[in-house]
């Protein structure tokens, strides 16, 4: 997807504030400081549209970013920050859960994991919860630039095994610094939201099956 326009829309604190554009929504879930804001900025070729909080665990809203007129990225509050009270964590948990269960425009959850470390208990719990409810997900392992290239696949294997990931779950190796994984992730998102489906259908009617397959 070529991003021509990207803008911050709202920090929503409840369903009454969610956008009414009826556009597909791609949610980003992950622990605090895992790099969700940097991922968004890399995906839309902007340096600081999605701003990283100086205080991890501070964000308590759903941050909506509109991409072209095609979809929203929805940055969920980061989880697993130790200095947040148990009461606050429970409140955030219910807030996020209600969105993930009931938001009709949600098409995909990007479960963002720091490639450098095995998934935390919170990461494992989120993965299990999403799978239990049949929520479409993609595992995105960030900060690949922080470890040697020769160890990338070893760390990806650890992430998959720790989560108990299904073989059907897409896993994208990502680096906001290098741009690694950007195109692959856009392809997954486009498929989930049906982006360009009409164009593809037209193309298939005019080309041979072999060439159509190569273009995908």
């Amino acid at each position: 997807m070529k991003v021509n326009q990207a803008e911050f829309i709202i920090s929503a604190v409840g369903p009454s504030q969610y956008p009414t554009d009826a556009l597909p929504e791609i949610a980003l879930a992950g622990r605090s400081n895992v790099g969700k804001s940097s991922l968004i900025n890399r995906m839309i070729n902007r340096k600081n549209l999605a701003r990283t909080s100086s205080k991890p665990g501070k964000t308590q809203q759903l941050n909506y970013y509109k991409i072209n007129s095609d979809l929203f990225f929805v940055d969920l509050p980061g989880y697993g920050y130790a200095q947040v009270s148990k009461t606050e964590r429970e409140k955030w948990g219910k807030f996020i859960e209600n969105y993930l269960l009931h938001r009709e425009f949600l098409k995909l959850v990007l479960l963002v994991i720091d490639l450098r470390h095995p998934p935390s208990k919170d990461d494992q719990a989120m993965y299990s919860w999403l799978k239990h409810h049949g929520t479409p997900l993609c595992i995105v392992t960030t900060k690949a630039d922080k470890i040697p290239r020769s160890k990338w696949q070893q760390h990806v294997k650890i992430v998959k095994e720790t989560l108990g990931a299904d073989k059907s779950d897409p896993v994208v190796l990502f680096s906001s610094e290098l741009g690694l994984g950007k195109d692959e992730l856009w392809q997954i998102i486009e498929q989930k939201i049906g982006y360009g489906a009409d164009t593809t259908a037209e193309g298939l009617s005019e080309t041979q099956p072999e060439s159509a397959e190569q273009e995908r």
Side-chain angles (χ1 to χ4, degrees):
M1 178 182 291
K2 183 178 180 181
V3 177
N4 298 312
Q5 184 178 9
E7 58 182 326
F8 171 75
I9 299 299
I10 192 173
S11 289
V13 296
S16 63
Q17 292 185 324
Y18 295 165
T20 58
D21 304 55
L23 294 177
E25 296 180 6
I26 308 297
L28 292 88
R31 68 171 181 79
S32 298
N33 274 0
V34 75
K36 294 189 280 99
S37 295
S38 297
L39 186 155
I40 292 173
N41 288 331
R42 169 56 76 171
M43 293 293 287
I44 62 178
N45 297 319
R46 297 277 290 274
K47 290 185 177 180
N48 60 356
L49 179 64
R51 297 182 179 179
T52 303
S53 174
S54 59
K55 295 182 179 180
K58 189 71 173 177
T59 301
Q60 302 180 34
Q61 305 89 22
L62 303 185
N63 291 323
Y64 271 83
Y65 301 90
K66 189 175 184 179
I67 315 303
N68 299 334
S69 294
D70 298 311
L71 74 151
F72 286 106
F73 280 137
V74 185
D75 191 6
L76 305 182
Y79 53 72
Y81 189 55
Q83 293 187 23
V84 177
S85 70
K86 183 178 179 180
T87 301
E88 282 296 305
R89 287 200 301 271
E90 290 177 349
K91 183 173 71 174
W92 294 2
K94 292 178 181 178
F95 177 44
I96 296 171
E97 180 178 309
N98 285 334
Y99 169 80
L100 294 174
L101 283 177
H102 303 299
R103 185 59 172 167
E104 61 179 308
F105 304 115
L106 177 64
K107 300 301 181 183
L108 180 69
V109 175
L110 306 182
L111 181 56
V112 186
I113 306 288
D114 189 331
L115 183 65
R116 299 173 298 175
H117 312 293
S120 67
K121 295 294 184 182
D122 289 313
D123 292 325
Q124 295 173 54
M126 176 61 80
Y127 176 82
S128 297
W129 189 91
L130 292 170
K131 295 299 290 185
H132 174 75
H133 290 284
T135 306
L137 67 89
C138 172
I139 300 166
V140 183
T141 60
T142 57
K143 306 190 179 183
D145 55 285
K146 304 298 185 183
I147 61 176
R149 183 186 297 262
S150 61
K151 295 185 177 180
W152 283 353
Q153 293 308 316
Q154 175 187 345
H155 282 251
V156 168
K157 182 179 179 182
I158 291 172
V159 169
K160 290 180 178 179
E161 291 180 346
T162 304
L163 291 177
D166 290 345
K167 292 182 178 180
S168 60
D169 296 328
V171 180
V172 177
L173 186 67
F174 199 91
S175 167
S176 298
E177 292 293 325
L178 304 176
L180 176 72
K182 174 186 171 183
D183 292 341
E184 181 183 357
L185 187 53
W186 267 126
Q187 288 176 0
I188 292 170
I189 291 171
E190 288 170 6
Q191 183 179 25
K192 284 295 181 183
I193 68 173
Y195 179 80
D198 293 340
T199 302
T200 301
E202 292 174 1
L204 287 174
S205 65
E206 298 172 358
T207 58
Q208 296 298 320
E210 291 81 1
S211 60
E213 185 66 27
Q214 291 173 357
E215 290 175 0
R216 287 199 187 110

